C-alpha cells in the first residue's frame, strides 16, 4: 500500500487516548453543559448569587432550591424556545452571509499530510464591525432598551440551550460525514490523527475529520472549524457583555467602573483575535485537532456563556472599584499582557528573522529537525512562559467582581418567586419592583462562580502545556530532553 503524501487522508499512527478516553469524554459531554446551566441558575437575578438556599445546606430542600434558582414552570422543556432558536439560527446565517459578502483576505493554510494546502477567506474582523456598528446605531436610537440587548437578557437561557443543541448537532453531522473521506481525494479531506481511535463516543467528542467543509448555495465553501473558531462564539461573547452593560444601566442608572474594565479587556482580547484571524492556521486547533463536540461546544457555548459570567454578575450587582481599585486591576492586566506579548513577540521575531538586533543575541539549542529552541530571556525562564501571562490576564476578568456574592431582598406583593424564571424571562429580564440587592451572608460565596474562570483557565493551560510537551517530545526527541534540562520550569518559574 502506498504511503505517499497524496494517500494520507487516513493517518497511519499509533493512537493514544486523551481526556480519560471514552469514559472521560462521555462524562465531559454531560458535565460541560451541566456546568453552563448550574452557573446560570445558581447565580441569578431571582434570589441571589449563589442562591440563598445553598447557604443553609442543613435545611436545603429540592423544592426550595428550584424556587430560588428560578427553575422554569414548564420544567426542562422550559429551557428551550422555538422562536429563540430561530433567532439564534438567523444570527448564524448572518455570520455566513457576512463571510461571503464582505471583503476579506485570502490565505493558504499549512501543508497537510496529503501535501495540499486549504484556502481560507478571513473577514471576521469586518463582520464583527458590521454587526457592532448596527448595534451601536440601534443603541443610539433606543438606548439601553434597544431590542437586541433586551432580547438577549430576556431569553438568555433559551439562547444558551440553542447553542448547546447546535454544538451537539454539528458534532454529530461532521462525525457521520467523516466516513465519506477517501484516500487520495481531490478536496484534501483528511482524518485527524487523534480522532481515529475506532471508539464512537471518543471520536465524536475529539473530532474525526481534521477540516470538515461544506458547500452552501449562494454562500460558497465554508470551513466549519475555522468558521466556529472565531465567528459566532467570539462575537457572541462581546454581544453578551454589551447586553449586560445595557441591563446594568437600565436597572441601576449607571455603568460601573468594574463593568467598563471587564468589557474593555474582553473586547480588546476578542478584537485582537479577530484582527489576527489568520494566526489560527498555525494553532493546534486547526493543524492537529479534529472538529468534534470538544471544539463545537467550546467555541459556540462554553466560550461566550462562561467567559461572560463576570459581566452578567455585575449587571445585577454593580461593583465600584474606585481610583485605586481600578489602578490595581489595570496593573494586573498590564503585567499579564507584558509577559504574554513580550514572550510571543520575542519568539515570533526570532522565528522570522534571527538576525534582528532585538533577538540576535539570544541563546538557543539547534535541533536535528532544523528548528532552534530558545534558552534565554523569556523562553529561558519557562518553556511555556506565555501561558503565565495569559493566566495573569485572566485574573483581571475576575478581580473587578471583588469579594463576590449577593442576595435579592424582595418586599411587597412581588415577593413570590412562583413562576419567576430566567428561562421564562419573567424576572431574568429585569429586576422586579420592590427588590433590593445586598451582599449579606452571600458575601464571598459568589466568588465560587465569578472566579471560576481563573481556575478553569489554569486547568486548560496546564492541559494544553502537557499536549505541547508530548508533541514537542515526539518532534525533537533528545533535543527536547536537552532543552528541558536547560529550561526546567514548565509555566511558573520556581513552582511548576
Amino acid at each position: 500500500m502506498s504511503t505517499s503524501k497524496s494517500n494520507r487522508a487516513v493517518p497511519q499512527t499509533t493512537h493514544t487516548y486523551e481526556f480519560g478516553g471514552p469514559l472521560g469524554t462521555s462524562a465531559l459531554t454531560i458535565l460541560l453543559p451541566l456546568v453552563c446551566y448550574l452557573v446560570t441558575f445558581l447565580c441569578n437575578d431571582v434570589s441571589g448569587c449563589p442562591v440563598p438556599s445553598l447557604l443553609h445546606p442543613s435545611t436545603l430542600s429540592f423544592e426550595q432550591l428550584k424556587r430560588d434558582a428560578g427553575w422554569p414552570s414548564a420544567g426542562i422543556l422550559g429551557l428551550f424556545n422555538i422562536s429563540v432558536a430561530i433567532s439564534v439560527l438567523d444570527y448564524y446565517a448572518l455570520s455566513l452571509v457576512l463571510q461571503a459578502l464582505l471583503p476579506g483576505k485570502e490565505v493558504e493554510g499549512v501543508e497537510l499530510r496529503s501535501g495540499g494546502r486549504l484556502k481560507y477567506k478571513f473577514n471576521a474582523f469586518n463582520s464583527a464591525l458590521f454587526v457592532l456598528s448596527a448595534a451601536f446605531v440601534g443603541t443610539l436610537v433606543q438606548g439601553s432598551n434597544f431590542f437586541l440587548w433586551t432580547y438577549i437578557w430576556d431569553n438568555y437561557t433559551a439562547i444558551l440551550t440553542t447553542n448547546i443543541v447546535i454544538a451537539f448537532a454539528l458534532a454529530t453531522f461532521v462525525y457521520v460525514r467523516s466516513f465519506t473521506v477517501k484516500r487520495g481525494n481531490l478536496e484534501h479531506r483528511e482524518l485527524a490523527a487523534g480522532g481515529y481511535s475506532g471508539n464512537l463516543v471518543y471520536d465524536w467528542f475529539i473530532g474525526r475529520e481534521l477540516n470538515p467543509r461544506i458547500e452552501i448555495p449562494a454562500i460558497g465553501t465554508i470551513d466549519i472549524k475555522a468558521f466556529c473558531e472565531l465567528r459566532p462564539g467570539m462575537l457572541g461573547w462581546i454581544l453578551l457583555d454589551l447586553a449586560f452593560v445595557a441591563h446594568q444601566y437600565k436597572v441601576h442608572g449607571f455603568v460601573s467602573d468594574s463593568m467598563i474594565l471587564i468589557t474593555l479587556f474582553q473586547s480588546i482580547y476578542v478584537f485582537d483575535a479577530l484582527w489576527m484571524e489568520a494566526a489560527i492556521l498555525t494553532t493546534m486547533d486547526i493543524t492537529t485537532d479534529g472538529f468534534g463536540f470538544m471544539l463545537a461546544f467550546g467555541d459556540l457555548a462554553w466560550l461566550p456563556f462562561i467567559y461572560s459570567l463576570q459581566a452578567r454578575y455585575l449587571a445585577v450587582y454593580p461593583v465600584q472599584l474606585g481610583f485605586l481599585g481600578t489602578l490595581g486591576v489595570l496593573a494586573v492586566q498590564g503585567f499579564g499582557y507584558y509577559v504574554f506579548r513580550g514572550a510571543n513577540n520575542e519568539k515570533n521575531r526570532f522565528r522570522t528573522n534571527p538576525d534582528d538586533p532585538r533577538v540576535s543575541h539570544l541563546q538557543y539549542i539547534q535541533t536535528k529537525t532544523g528548528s532552534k529552541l530558545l534558552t534565554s530571556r523569556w523562553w529561558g525562564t519557562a518553556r511555556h512562559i506565555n501561558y503565565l501571562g495569559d493566566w495573569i490576564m485572566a485574573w483581571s476578568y475576575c478581580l473587578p467582581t471583588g469579594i463576590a456574592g449577593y442576595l435579592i431582598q424582595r418586599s411587597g406583593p412581588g415577593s413570590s418567586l412562583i413562576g419567576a424564571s430566567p428561562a421564562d424571562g419573567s424576572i431574568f429580564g429585569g429586576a422586579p419592583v420592590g427588590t433590593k440587592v445586598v451582599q449579606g451572608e452571600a458575601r464571598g460565596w459568589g466568588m465560587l462562580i465569578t472566579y471560576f474562570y481563573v481556575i478553569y483557565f489554569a486547568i486548560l493551560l496546564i492541559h494544553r502545556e502537557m499536549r505541547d510537551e508530548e508533541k514537542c517530545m515526539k518532534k525533537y526527541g533528545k533535543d527536547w530532553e536537552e532543552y528541558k534540562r536547560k529550561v526546567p520550569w514548565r509555566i511558573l518559574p520556581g513552582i511548576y
Side-chain angles (χ1 to χ4, degrees):
M1 182 179 293
S2 172
T3 57
S4 64
K5 280 190 173 184
S6 62
N7 264 345
R8 293 180 189 171
V10 179
Q12 299 183 12
T13 181
T14 302
H15 185 82
T16 57
Y17 284 131
E18 295 186 82
F19 300 102
L23 185 61
T25 52
S26 297
L28 286 173
T29 300
I30 299 171
L31 180 62
L32 294 177
L34 181 61
V35 169
C36 290
Y37 284 120
L38 285 175
V39 297
T40 296
F41 284 100
L42 299 184
C43 180
N44 59 48
D45 66 345
V46 174
S47 61
C49 181
V51 295
S53 52
L54 289 180
L55 301 176
H56 304 281
S58 61
T59 59
L60 178 65
S61 69
F62 186 61
E63 287 303 315
Q64 183 60 46
L65 181 61
K66 285 171 62 177
R67 287 193 293 270
D68 285 355
W71 185 249
S73 55
I76 196 169
L77 295 178
L79 300 177
F80 183 77
N81 181 287
I82 294 178
S83 174
V84 173
I86 293 173
S87 296
V88 174
L89 290 174
D90 287 342
Y91 167 69
Y92 278 76
L94 175 62
S95 296
L96 290 169
V97 170
L98 292 177
Q99 179 172 2
L101 297 183
L102 294 181
K105 183 166 68 171
E106 301 284 344
V107 181
E108 282 192 341
V110 299
E111 186 176 358
L112 301 168
R113 287 189 308 273
S114 61
R117 294 176 185 266
L118 296 175
K119 294 182 179 180
Y120 298 82
K121 178 184 177 182
F122 288 136
N123 62 3
F125 186 86
N126 295 337
S127 300
L129 284 182
F130 179 90
V131 173
L132 292 175
S133 295
F136 176 73
V137 172
T139 305
L140 283 180
V141 175
Q142 296 183 319
S144 60
N145 289 313
F146 177 49
F147 82 93
L148 177 60
W149 310 138
T150 57
Y151 189 87
I152 290 174
W153 185 268
D154 292 346
N155 299 282
Y156 178 87
T157 310
I159 295 173
L160 166 63
T161 300
T162 301
N163 280 279
I164 292 174
V165 171
I166 290 173
F168 272 91
L170 263 183
T172 303
F173 170 75
V174 295
Y175 175 78
V176 172
R177 189 170 177 269
S178 71
F179 288 93
T180 64
V181 175
K182 304 298 182 183
R183 293 183 185 275
N185 67 84
L186 300 179
E187 296 83 16
H188 301 300
R189 295 179 65 195
E190 295 184 358
L191 298 184
Y196 191 60
S197 71
N199 182 277
L200 187 153
V201 173
Y202 181 82
D203 293 346
W204 173 84
F205 181 90
I206 291 293
R208 198 168 183 272
E209 187 170 353
L210 184 63
N211 298 112
R213 294 183 159 207
I214 55 173
E215 286 287 334
I216 301 179
I219 298 293
T221 301
I222 296 296
D223 188 293
I224 297 175
K225 181 162 65 170
F227 175 81
C228 292
E229 189 83 5
L230 290 178
R231 284 178 179 272
M234 289 288 270
L235 178 57
W237 177 11
I238 299 306
L239 291 175
L240 286 171
D241 277 357
L242 293 176
F244 302 149
V245 171
H247 184 77
Q248 186 187 79
Y249 183 80
K250 179 180 179 180
V251 173
H252 301 281
F254 64 89
V255 178
S256 65
D257 51 12
S258 55
M259 179 70 91
I260 292 172
L261 285 179
I262 285 178
T263 306
L264 177 64
F265 293 157
Q266 296 183 349
S267 296
I268 291 173
Y269 181 90
V270 168
F271 273 97
D272 178 73
L274 298 181
W275 179 257
M276 301 294 293
E277 186 177 12
I280 68 171
L281 294 180
T282 58
T283 63
M284 186 177 289
D285 284 0
I286 299 296
T287 63
T288 305
D289 293 335
F291 185 79
F293 182 75
M294 177 180 71
L295 287 181
F297 181 82
D299 291 340
L300 306 179
W302 186 268
L303 184 146
F305 291 93
I306 294 297
Y307 287 27
S308 61
L309 273 176
Q310 296 80 19
R312 185 165 72 86
Y313 171 89
L314 293 172
V316 180
Y317 185 76
V319 174
Q320 292 290 9
L321 299 173
F323 179 73
L324 292 179
T326 299
L327 279 183
V329 174
L330 287 172
V332 172
Q333 168 74 7
F335 179 64
Y337 186 79
Y338 168 71
V339 175
F340 176 80
R341 183 52 56 200
N344 283 330
N345 282 348
E346 184 179 85
K347 178 175 63 176
N348 291 335
R349 287 177 184 137
F350 189 79
R351 280 181 174 177
T352 55
N353 182 16
D355 297 324
D356 188 322
R358 292 171 291 184
V359 295
S360 59
H361 60 285
L362 297 180
Q363 299 175 15
Y364 60 87
I365 293 175
Q366 179 69 57
T367 70
K368 293 181 178 63
T369 65
S371 301
K372 298 175 181 179
L373 302 175
L374 290 171
T375 59
S376 62
R377 292 284 295 274
W378 283 116
W379 297 95
T381 58
R383 300 195 295 273
H384 306 275
I385 189 66
N386 54 331
Y387 290 174
L388 176 61
D390 217 358
W391 188 64
I392 292 172
M393 284 192 290
W395 280 91
S396 67
Y397 298 172
C398 303
L399 288 172
T401 63
I403 303 176
Y406 63 77
L407 298 173
I408 295 180
Q409 297 179 343
R410 192 168 281 97
S411 60
S415 60
S416 174
L417 296 178
I418 297 175
S421 170
D424 295 336
S426 52
I427 287 187
F428 206 63
V433 176
T435 63
K436 183 179 180 181
V437 185
V438 299
Q439 287 206 285
E441 62 181 344
R443 177 179 167 85
W445 290 107
M447 296 173 71
L448 295 173
I449 293 175
T450 63
Y451 286 77
F452 169 75
Y453 175 72
V454 169
I455 299 171
Y456 148 75
F457 201 51
I459 296 172
L460 173 70
L461 291 175
I462 290 172
H463 178 260
R464 184 182 298 171
E465 171 269 325
M466 293 171 67
R467 296 183 77 196
D468 289 346
E469 288 279 320
E470 182 180 356
K471 178 183 176 182
C472 290
M473 188 64 207
K474 291 179 180 178
K475 180 178 180 180
Y476 299 118
K478 291 183 179 180
D479 290 326
W480 189 254
E481 292 288 353
E482 175 64 19
Y483 178 56
K484 290 199 294 184
R485 283 192 290 270
K486 290 193 174 185
V487 186
W489 303 110
R490 293 171 177 254
I491 296 176
L492 184 58
I495 296 178
Y496 177 72

